[in-house]
Amino acid sequence: MSKKKPLFFCDNCGYEVGDNVKACPYCARLFVSVRCPACTYSGPDRMFQNGCPMCGYSAPPPPKVKEPKIKPPPPIPPPPAEPLPFWTYIITFTALLAVIALFSYFITR
């Protein structure tokens, strides 16, 4: 069983590049050193021939995916107002009649 050879990716554009190239063929970024995407250890490319020498990472980085913008949920409308109990209408009507009666009593006096 042979060990899988690690893959190398450009840190700038994310494309796969060869392990012995000095610049990315897609974006022309120069490679000075190799950086592990898992532990961020950085060093010369010869140290990364069998994966990261610090953590052993040799998997490709996850693809760059734009996160969708999430819309906030619409505001929740207030619950409909419940009608008042019947007895409140009776008390209000009775109080209104009492005020009218007192007003008419003081006017006619």
Side-chain angles (χ1 to χ4, degrees):
M1 186 173 183
S2 66
K3 187 172 181 179
K4 192 174 183 182
K5 187 176 179 183
L7 302 174
F8 291 85
F9 293 87
C10 176
D11 202 27
N12 186 42
C13 67
Y15 281 100
E16 183 177 353
V17 294
D19 60 345
N20 57 357
V21 297
K22 299 297 178 196
C24 177
Y26 301 100
C27 69
R29 177 156 184 174
L30 293 174
F31 299 128
V32 178
S33 64
V34 177
R35 182 178 57 86
C36 176
C39 69
T40 66
Y41 174 75
S42 186
D45 59 347
R46 68 184 185 302
M47 293 180 66
F48 287 83
Q49 294 302 319
N50 295 318
C52 178
M54 297 306 251
C55 69
Y57 181 82
S58 64
K64 294 181 181 178
V65 177
K66 290 184 179 179
E67 294 185 25
K69 293 186 178 181
I70 299 173
K71 293 181 182 178
I76 300 172
E82 295 181 16
L84 295 173
F86 186 70
W87 60 269
T88 56
Y89 295 108
I90 294 174
I91 290 175
T92 306
F93 183 70
T94 306
L96 182 60
L97 284 178
V99 169
I100 292 172
L102 281 173
F103 185 71
S104 64
Y105 173 75
F106 284 117
I107 288 182
T108 57
R109 203 171 165 222

